[in-house]
Amino acid sequence: MKFNSVVLLSLTSPCLGKIAAAKPQMGWNSWNTFKANINESIIKPTAETLVSSGLAKAGYEYLILDEGWQALTRDGNGRQQANATKFPSGIPALADYVHKLGLKIGIYSDAGIYDCDFFPGSWGNEELDADTYASWDIDYLKYDNCGGFQAGTQSPGERFSIMGNALKNTGRDILYSLCQWGNQFPWFWADQLSDSYRMSGDITSSFAKDNSGVCKTAYCLNTGYAGVSVLTMIRKMRELSGFQSPGSWADMDMLEIGTGTMTEYEEQTHFSFWAALKSPLIIGADITKISNTSLGILLNKEIIAINQDDAGVAVTYLPALSSEGSIQIWAGPLSAGSFGHVVLALNEGGNATSITIPWSGIPELQNSTRASYKVRDVWAAKDLGTIQTGITLLNVSSHQTKVLIVSRA
Ligand code: GAL
């Protein structure tokens, strides 16, 4: 829900306690690992693992059922219903189970007549479906765009706002996460009706290799199932990072950390950029089988704090300090309280290299009279002391990202 409208609602309705999505949402989603093959025996242990692994405590609070929870037809009253074989206890009982663990539960539907695998979408039934989700105590809706085109003349903006209003009218605080792959450039309008919006077609579990035909920039569009690599998703954010703001997050799609295709440095890079670009952090791996290394990356408190920083300002690409295809430098301010700036230095090339960052090259520091700053290397968990003029990072490995917090000495 839109930030302002929730503030207004909370004035008249004290039970709507939190401001929705003032920070990028964090959680787990079933799609990347399980596709539509989800059931209670997968979801319940996942919920338990979110708690036992420390992920819930670190902020990953939403457990989101993607496509595959639904039956192929609506019930006798026209309501969406769960697949009774896969979810024999039903969604309300599952929601109760998830809530008792201290988590929140998300569900998936679609702004078309059908969703991507021909389960019933919500087009034409938005109010009924929103009321159903609210009556099941659902806390989050991921709303997709397949089969939307069969809805005829209505634009995505219209179709997505009808569900946004239906959710608001339920009176329940349901986070509204748009998934229409960046179509119609939602960074210009989705703030009016949702908490977050996907800015691209689907991610694939690969650091650098895109599926064929994948677009490289934000304004060149792919639909769902696109197969966008981590590096290309980061590339697309060059045009979009300036749009990030509390209550309206561009969603870079689910994290592929722990899905077994990336090195430790590549997974660190993936996490650093999703965090500093203020994307929602939604885990896509099977957390019941994840390696300790990948889990450690997802649990890194300092990187999470960058994502959840009060200011909600994303880092910006700095072309003057970068070199296409080999070095990328991105930087941005943290909230006033921390007096800090976050700087990301990625070695995109194949060999280890040194990277030099002059303080004068960072926009917010350019006009400062200070010559020296305190520097912390976040992944090394090490204070590097007070450094004058700028820093040279020695021996940055291939595909590694150094994350620095640069603050007043
Ligand atoms: C795509 C969406 C994916 C997943 C999938 C389900 O449109 O981008 O994240 O939800 O549909 O079929």
Side-chain angles (χ1 to χ4, degrees):
M1 251 164 269
K2 192 183 158 203
F3 178 78
N4 286 340
S5 60
V6 174
V7 172
L8 283 178
L9 274 175
S10 63
L11 291 176
T12 51
S13 167
C15 28
L16 291 184
K18 85 176 173 69
I19 293 168
K23 309 273 174 82
Q25 67 267 28
M26 297 172 65
W28 177 90
N29 175 299
S30 51
W31 180 255
N32 284 13
T33 298
F34 298 104
K35 299 292 180 280
N37 305 314
I38 45 172
N39 57 47
E40 256 174 53
S41 341
I42 290 172
I43 298 301
K44 283 187 169 178
T46 300
E48 284 154 24
T49 308
L50 273 172
V51 177
S52 62
S53 60
L55 286 165
K57 202 160 171 217
Y60 298 90
E61 58 177 342
Y62 290 101
L63 182 150
I64 304 148
L65 308 179
D66 208 282
E67 186 184 50
W69 65 270
Q70 322 95 306
L72 273 171
T73 53
R74 289 176 174 267
D75 72 10
N77 297 316
R79 290 180 186 269
Q80 278 184 334
Q81 54 183 342
N83 177 313
T85 315
K86 292 154 95 180
F87 291 93
S89 318
I91 302 299
L94 184 65
D96 190 40
Y97 182 88
V98 168
H99 287 146
K100 285 198 171 120
L101 287 168
L103 301 166
K104 294 178 178 164
I105 185 161
I107 212 163
Y108 163 99
S109 191
D110 190 289
I113 299 165
Y114 298 108
D115 74 5
C116 309
D117 282 320
F118 297 97
F119 294 102
S122 292
W123 185 79
N125 288 290
E126 290 86 351
E127 284 190 17
L128 179 64
D129 290 355
D131 285 346
T132 304
Y133 306 146
S135 75
W136 291 349
D137 287 343
I138 295 295
D139 307 298
Y140 184 118
L141 176 67
K142 172 175 172 180
Y143 203 47
D144 207 349
N145 195 37
C146 285
F149 312 105
Q150 289 144 356
T153 53
Q154 266 179 328
S155 69
E158 280 177 89
R159 285 183 284 111
F160 283 89
S161 71
I162 293 170
M163 180 54 98
N165 288 329
L167 291 174
K168 250 182 248 167
N169 290 340
T170 67
R172 187 173 169 82
D173 202 356
I174 300 177
L175 192 148
Y176 187 31
S177 158
L178 259 57
C179 176
Q180 41 79 264
W181 327 300
N183 281 13
Q184 262 86 20
F185 316 133
W187 38 95
F188 290 117
W189 50 265
D191 60 329
Q192 304 297 309
L193 54 106
S194 70
D195 295 293
S196 66
Y197 55 88
R198 281 271 302 279
M199 40 57 73
S200 162
D202 290 10
I203 194 168
T204 189
S205 184
S206 165
F207 184 72
K209 197 172 175 319
D210 297 310
N211 287 357
S212 66
V214 159
C215 292
K216 303 284 181 196
T217 69
Y219 289 93
C220 165
L221 298 174
N222 292 114
T223 55
Y225 302 152
V228 183
S229 68
V230 167
L231 274 185
T232 299
M233 206 65 92
I234 294 168
R235 166 64 193 85
K236 285 166 179 269
M237 286 302 286
R238 287 190 202 176
E239 287 98 14
L240 302 185
S241 64
F243 288 93
Q244 291 292 42
S245 64
S248 175
W249 306 110
D251 175 356
M252 298 168 73
D253 205 0
M254 288 161 276
L255 298 162
E256 295 286 3
I257 293 159
T259 55
T261 61
M262 285 177 245
T263 65
E264 183 173 357
Y265 282 141
E266 290 170 346
E267 291 197 340
Q268 285 183 358
T269 291
H270 183 1
F271 200 48
S272 306
F273 275 92
W274 263 238
L277 282 164
K278 292 347 191 219
S279 172
L281 299 178
I282 307 292
I283 300 167
D286 181 350
I287 53 171
T288 66
K289 300 199 176 99
I290 199 166
S291 72
N292 285 337
T293 306
S294 298
L295 184 61
I297 290 170
L298 292 168
L299 285 171
N300 188 297
K301 282 199 177 114
E302 291 183 65
I303 301 287
I304 293 173
I306 292 168
N307 180 255
Q308 299 286 300
D309 180 67
D310 284 338
V313 178
V315 289
T316 308
Y317 179 64
L318 301 178
L321 300 185
S322 304
S323 153
E324 203 63 67
S326 72
I327 305 290
Q328 293 191 34
I329 308 294
W330 298 63
L334 294 168
S335 57
S338 69
F339 304 116
H341 282 75
V342 59
V343 180
L344 267 52
L346 161 63
N347 174 9
E348 207 183 319
N351 300 307
T353 190
S354 301
I355 301 179
T356 296
I357 306 164
W359 301 147
S360 61
I362 297 176
E364 293 84 8
L365 306 186
Q366 256 157 18
N367 299 325
S368 165
T369 48
R370 281 166 209 279
S372 46
Y373 290 90
K374 263 193 327 194
V375 181
R376 178 162 176 84
D377 178 335
V378 175
W379 285 111
K382 206 167 152 197
D383 291 326
L384 303 181
T386 299
I387 300 182
Q388 288 207 325
T389 323
I391 190 168
T392 296
L393 302 161
L394 300 173
N395 215 11
V396 182
S397 293
S398 166
H399 296 175
Q400 182 180 13
T401 293
K402 286 278 187 184
V403 177
L404 307 176
I405 303 291
V406 179
S407 50
R408 282 185 202 167

